[in-house]
């Protein structure tokens, strides 16, 4: 999506021009497109992720959603969507700010077959900007979650490879099938890999403690300042990022009271 279509991004709230979102995701801009958009946000808001982390004698199980809420304002006379706002969960917001989200080519949304989309997702993850990535047909079938027989799955992959040779529609990668080995070759259209800064990850629960320690201040702006401080300090290793963040917030609050 063209980032100029995002009018505001702050504190996990994203404001987008609905028309641009529909176009970039290859959806129609009529009433049907509106219905599909509502259904998509319903699915996203209902998607829950559960993780567990074992440390020492403790096991932490955590659940969260991809988005917290969404809102579409639509004119009852013209039917046009006037405003679209999405509130990201803390987990997604942190992943975006930490540049830990995998980007997709905009032509991904033009792929009509679910298997094609899944194959592209796997290629972006495992091949990325490497020259080539190879995987056995059996393992690809498993990663795609296909319930087809091996023979049928091979036929489906063969058809995708043949169609791509003719139409060249698969984004970023060329696909070939040699026996039972599927190869994804980078078309070299991806930009040279830039240095990705992996910021210290914060437990979402720490924001509540930070708010209590800094009444009147916005903890997300404080987090941005903390990240800039961390970068300018040479990206030191933090054994307890949450404590470091809260300590930074308290110091900023004390300074604000003195000013």
């Amino acid at each position: 999506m063209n980032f100029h279509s995002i009018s505001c991004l702050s504190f996990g709230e994203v404001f987008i021009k609905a028309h641009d979102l529909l176009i970039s995701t290859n959806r129609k801009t009529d009433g049907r497109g509106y219905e599909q958009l509502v259904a998509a946000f319903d699915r996203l808001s209902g998607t829950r992720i559960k993780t567990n982390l074992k440390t020492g004698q403790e096991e932490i199980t955590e659940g969260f959603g991809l988005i917290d809420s969404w809102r579409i304002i639509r004119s009852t006379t013209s039917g046009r969507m006037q405003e679209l706002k999405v509130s990201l969960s803390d987990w997604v917001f942190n992943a975006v700010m930490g540049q830990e989200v995998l980007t997709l080519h905009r032509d991904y949304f033009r792929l009509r077959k679910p298997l094609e989309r899944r194959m592209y997702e796997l290629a972006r993850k495992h091949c990325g900007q490497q020259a080539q990535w190879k995987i056995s047909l059996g393992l690809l079938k498993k990663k795609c979650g296909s319930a087809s027989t091996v023979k049928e799955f091979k036929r489906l992959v063969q058809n995708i490879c043949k169609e791509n040779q003719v139409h060249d529609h698969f984004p970023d990668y060329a696909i070939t099938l040699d026996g039972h080995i599927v190869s994804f070759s980078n078309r070299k259209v991806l930009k040279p890999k830039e240095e990705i800064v992996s910021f210290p990850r914060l437990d979402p629960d720490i924001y509540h403690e930070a708010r209590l320690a800094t009444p009147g201040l916005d903890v997300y702006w404080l987090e941005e300042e903390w990240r800039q401080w961390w970068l300018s300090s040479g990206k030191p290793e933090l054994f307890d990022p949450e404590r470091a963040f809260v300590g930074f917030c308290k110091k900023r609050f004390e300074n604000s009271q003195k000013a």
Side-chain angles (χ1 to χ4, degrees):
M1 182 189 303
N2 185 343
F3 284 96
H4 292 297
S5 65
I6 302 179
S7 56
C8 178
L9 172 58
S10 62
F11 322 135
E13 292 188 345
V14 184
F15 294 83
I16 311 171
K17 292 181 181 178
H19 181 271
D20 291 341
L21 179 59
L22 291 171
I23 293 296
S24 63
T25 56
N26 197 34
R27 300 178 187 271
K28 294 182 178 180
T29 57
D30 55 9
R32 175 60 176 163
Y34 167 78
E35 294 174 358
Q36 290 178 333
L37 194 60
V38 170
F41 280 124
D42 262 342
R43 290 193 298 271
L44 285 173
S45 60
T47 301
R48 304 293 300 176
I49 297 175
K50 183 173 71 174
T51 62
N52 67 309
L53 178 65
K54 294 182 179 179
T55 56
Q57 301 299 316
E58 293 183 337
E59 179 177 356
I60 301 173
T61 301
E62 180 181 15
F64 48 86
L66 293 178
I67 63 175
D68 288 338
S69 63
W70 58 273
R71 181 181 70 181
I72 299 176
I73 298 178
R74 186 186 187 199
S75 171
T76 56
T77 54
S78 66
R80 293 180 62 86
M81 286 177 278
Q82 299 173 329
E83 180 181 298
L84 170 59
K85 183 183 79 169
V86 182
S87 296
L88 306 177
S89 68
D90 287 343
W91 182 83
V92 173
F93 181 77
N94 284 337
V96 172
M97 298 305 295
Q99 298 182 9
E100 298 172 352
V101 176
L102 188 67
T103 58
L104 301 176
H105 194 286
R106 64 178 303 167
D107 287 343
Y108 163 84
F109 297 101
R110 300 186 181 278
L111 298 175
R112 292 301 184 186
K113 299 177 181 179
L115 179 56
E116 281 185 315
R117 289 194 173 195
R118 182 55 181 156
M119 288 173 64
Y120 174 77
E121 293 166 3
L122 291 170
R124 279 292 291 120
K125 177 181 179 180
H126 294 286
C127 185
Q129 301 194 36
Q130 300 177 75
Q132 191 177 62
W133 174 59
K134 295 184 178 182
I135 183 173
S136 68
L137 197 65
L139 184 55
L140 179 63
K141 178 179 179 297
K142 182 178 179 180
K143 286 182 174 291
C144 289
S146 175
S148 303
T149 63
V150 175
K151 183 178 180 180
E152 175 63 12
F153 184 76
K154 182 176 182 180
R155 185 187 68 81
L156 294 174
V157 173
Q158 282 178 328
N159 288 342
I160 290 174
C161 293
K162 290 177 181 178
E163 291 173 2
N164 192 48
Q165 289 175 358
V166 175
H167 302 292
D168 199 29
H169 68 291
F170 199 84
D172 296 331
Y173 308 98
I175 321 169
T176 56
L177 176 62
D178 184 9
H180 287 274
I181 299 298
V182 183
S183 299
F184 295 86
S185 300
N186 197 330
R187 298 183 191 276
K188 305 301 182 183
V189 298
L190 298 177
K191 295 180 179 179
K193 188 173 183 180
E194 299 177 355
E195 180 185 1
I196 297 178
V197 178
S198 182
F199 291 102
R201 294 295 299 272
L202 296 176
D203 188 313
D205 291 340
I206 203 63
Y207 294 109
H208 177 67
E209 184 175 343
R211 290 187 183 98
L212 294 178
T214 59
L217 300 183
D218 192 290
V219 295
Y220 294 108
W221 279 118
L222 290 173
E223 183 184 11
E224 280 303 297
E225 289 188 357
W226 177 66
R227 286 180 168 182
Q228 293 304 316
W229 166 83
W230 180 76
L231 284 174
S232 62
S233 300
K235 297 183 288 188
E237 182 178 0
L238 302 177
F239 296 101
D240 193 339
E242 282 78 17
R243 293 299 101 202
F245 173 60
V246 172
F248 178 88
C249 291
K250 288 180 178 179
K251 184 172 294 186
R252 280 288 189 271
F253 178 74
E254 293 173 358
N255 292 338
S256 69
Q257 297 302 299
K258 296 177 182 178

